[in-house]
Amino acid sequence: ELKVEQNPLFLSMQEGKNYTIYCNYSTTSDRLYWYRQDPGKSLESLFVLLSNGAVKQEGRLMASLDTKARLSTLHITAAVHDLSATYFCAVDPYSGGGADGLTFGKGTHLIIQP
Amino acid sequence: DTGVSQDPRHKITKRGQNVTFRCDPISEHNRLYWYRQTLGQGPEFLTYFQNEAQLEKSRLLSDRFSAERPKGSFSTLEIQRTEQGDSAMYLCASRAQQGRGYTFGSGTRLTVV
């Protein structure tokens, strides 16, 4: 059974600081997704990482994927209050075959304080 | 293209009643997925369709849950004899094929009283 673990689960940080959220998963996969969720809302796609070594950046967020270590990171640079949200990583079990449907981590609840 | 649409947005029902939710995927997406999200947790995969074929349903939470996609377009998720533990956000997602990104709908929030 595929397991996805995120840490930390809760993070309170100050504006202007940098931090990294980690996502570990338990089985071979080369497809990993990061989503943002605001309270009471649905999921907003942030990044789709489709190969080992993939790195994507959008504004103050950067995501990377190391399939050998089964690890993805979401790095926040110079955080601003608007980035306060819950961030999920999700792993697609598809890798040349097999079951479909994402397995999500529990999410990282991020609060950025002025 | 207006994205993935879910209806209703909110549903309050009494315990023991049946409820049905609808999802309209992006029109050119042949794969459709249902997830459940409880408070403070990540979404949990329930089932998915490729066109009208339901290819995975072992993850449905109990035999009270069923899903259909009769013409390969919209899908419905039904919960029979609802229980308080069924209270959650039910999310639908679609994508064009394996290996491509998922688009999520706004969800249906179910409250069982």
Side-chain angles (χ1 to χ4, degrees):
Chain A
E1 179 188 350
L2 173 59
K3 295 188 188 301
V4 179
E5 292 187 355
Q6 284 183 241
N7 70 84
L9 297 182
F10 297 96
L11 177 57
S12 178
M13 56 191 294
Q14 288 184 317
E15 281 191 326
K17 299 292 187 182
N18 303 333
Y19 211 84
T20 300
I21 299 170
Y22 297 88
C23 175
N24 291 89
Y25 55 97
S26 64
T27 194
T28 301
S29 175
D30 56 3
R31 301 176 194 278
L32 190 137
Y33 305 78
W34 284 96
Y35 292 92
R36 168 182 172 146
Q37 188 175 41
D38 292 298
K41 304 293 186 182
S42 188
L43 299 168
E44 174 190 351
S45 180
L46 295 176
F47 300 108
V48 180
L49 303 171
L50 298 179
S51 62
N52 185 40
V55 178
K56 292 195 174 180
Q57 184 165 3
E58 182 73 33
R60 301 175 187 275
L61 301 178
M62 183 174 70
S64 65
L65 177 62
D66 181 342
T67 60
K68 293 181 181 178
R70 299 178 184 172
L71 170 69
S72 180
T73 60
L74 180 66
H75 187 72
I76 303 159
T77 301
V80 294
H81 178 69
D82 286 352
L83 291 179
S84 297
T86 299
Y87 293 85
F88 291 97
C89 65
V91 176
D92 193 336
Y94 173 76
S95 185
D100 205 348
L102 293 172
T103 298
F104 283 80
K106 291 188 174 181
T108 297
H109 183 53
L110 175 62
I111 298 173
I112 299 171
Q113 299 175 344
Chain B
D1 180 7
T2 57
V4 178
S5 299
Q6 292 189 245
D7 183 70
R9 294 292 301 275
H10 303 275
K11 176 72 177 178
I12 300 174
T13 191
K14 291 183 178 179
R15 190 173 51 186
Q17 297 294 306
N18 299 343
V19 294
T20 300
F21 311 139
R22 176 177 171 129
C23 171
D24 287 88
I26 293 172
S27 57
E28 59 267 28
H29 286 184
N30 63 353
R31 287 177 177 249
L32 185 149
Y33 305 78
W34 284 99
Y35 292 82
R36 182 182 81 159
Q37 186 178 22
T38 53
L39 199 61
Q41 300 295 315
E44 176 184 13
F45 171 67
L46 297 178
T47 188
Y48 87 100
F49 295 84
Q50 181 172 331
N51 299 312
E52 66 275 11
Q54 190 174 13
L55 298 185
E56 174 61 66
K57 55 182 178 181
S58 66
R59 307 272 287 275
L60 287 168
L61 300 164
S62 78
D63 59 6
R64 296 185 297 106
F65 288 72
S66 63
E68 294 183 340
R69 194 182 183 197
K71 296 182 180 179
S73 57
F74 73 92
S75 175
T76 58
L77 178 69
E78 181 182 17
I79 309 173
Q80 296 182 327
R81 305 181 303 281
T82 52
E83 302 173 356
Q84 285 190 319
D86 297 332
S87 296
M89 174 81 89
Y90 290 84
L91 295 165
C92 176
S94 71
R95 64 174 175 172
Q97 63 188 58
Q98 266 187 327
R100 294 297 181 95
Y102 297 74
T103 302
F104 280 83
S106 297
T108 294
R109 182 167 296 283
L110 172 67
T111 302
V112 182
V113 297

